[in-house]
Amino acid sequence: MRAAQTLATLVLMQLNDILAKAMNNQVTAEYEASMVYRQLSFILDDLGLVGMRDWMALQAKEELGHAQMFADHMLARDVVPQIGSISVPELSVTNAVEAFEASLAHEVKISGMIRDLAKLAEDGGDFDSRPLLDGFLAEQIEEESTVKEILDRLRLIGEDGSGLLRIDAELGSRDGDDN
């Protein structure tokens, strides 16, 4: 009887094929997000906004951590993650506002994907994925809110160079451990 219970437990812990495929897509999307942030950091460096460059570089690192969290969840559930094709969109960014607009657009895309994952998990009765997905749902609210706040401030200062440099310095002082 005990062996049958153990086998039943293993079957219940496995990801269904639909959720596994969606999580693979999420792993790939998190790697893409990292590359988007890395590209934005290059552009901001070129614009002389090294604080914003460093903020974007930390975001790039954070996205890699997110990919690993999804991969670890899959591995714990006996599914080997498969990274798909990574495609970084060409970014036409000429200033800080455009950089953070691109950041927000990407965060909104990722938020939608995570909500879709949560719905798939719910529909499939996959309660084991809830802690991971609930954490990401909360994180995405914070991510979007943070980028919106930065955008609001950048729009508020407009062409004020000293204001831009103050925000740049502030963003550059971000501690990499606050993620």
Side-chain angles (χ1 to χ4, degrees), residues 35-178:
M35 295 300 102
V36 166
Y37 276 116
R38 181 58 63 192
Q39 184 64 48
L40 289 170
S41 77
F42 297 155
I43 293 167
L44 289 164
D45 189 322
D46 186 56
L47 293 172
L49 299 168
V50 296
M52 292 180 196
R53 171 204 64 199
D54 293 347
W55 190 92
M56 292 289 183
L58 283 172
Q59 286 296 111
K61 183 179 176 183
E62 184 177 312
E63 300 301 341
L64 292 176
H66 293 170
Q68 190 63 53
M69 289 172 71
F70 278 104
D72 289 345
H73 180 78
M74 294 174 72
L75 288 164
R77 307 233 359 240
D78 204 28
V79 175
V80 177
Q82 296 293 315
I83 300 169
S85 297
I86 296 174
S87 170
V88 180
E90 189 167 327
L91 299 167
S92 298
V93 172
T94 61
N95 58 53
V97 169
E98 290 174 356
F100 281 90
E101 286 173 342
S103 171
L104 181 58
H106 208 74
E107 289 297 342
V108 168
K109 173 186 170 186
I110 294 295
S111 294
M113 291 180 72
I114 292 171
R115 282 191 300 276
D116 290 346
L117 274 172
K119 179 76 168 122
L120 283 174
E122 183 178 313
D123 290 349
D126 187 329
F127 301 107
D128 299 322
S129 292
R130 288 297 300 265
L132 174 74
L133 296 173
D134 287 347
F136 274 105
L137 289 167
E139 167 122 3
Q140 286 308 119
I141 291 169
E142 180 184 332
E143 293 290 340
E144 287 186 35
S145 176
T146 297
V147 176
K148 285 177 189 173
E149 179 183 311
I150 294 167
L151 260 173
D152 287 346
R153 294 174 69 210
L154 288 169
R155 289 176 178 139
L156 184 65
I157 63 163
E159 298 297 317
D160 177 20
S162 62
L164 180 63
L165 292 176
R166 275 193 305 274
I167 292 173
D168 184 57
E170 180 185 323
L171 293 178
S173 70
R174 174 181 169 194
D175 181 4
D177 293 333
D178 65 352

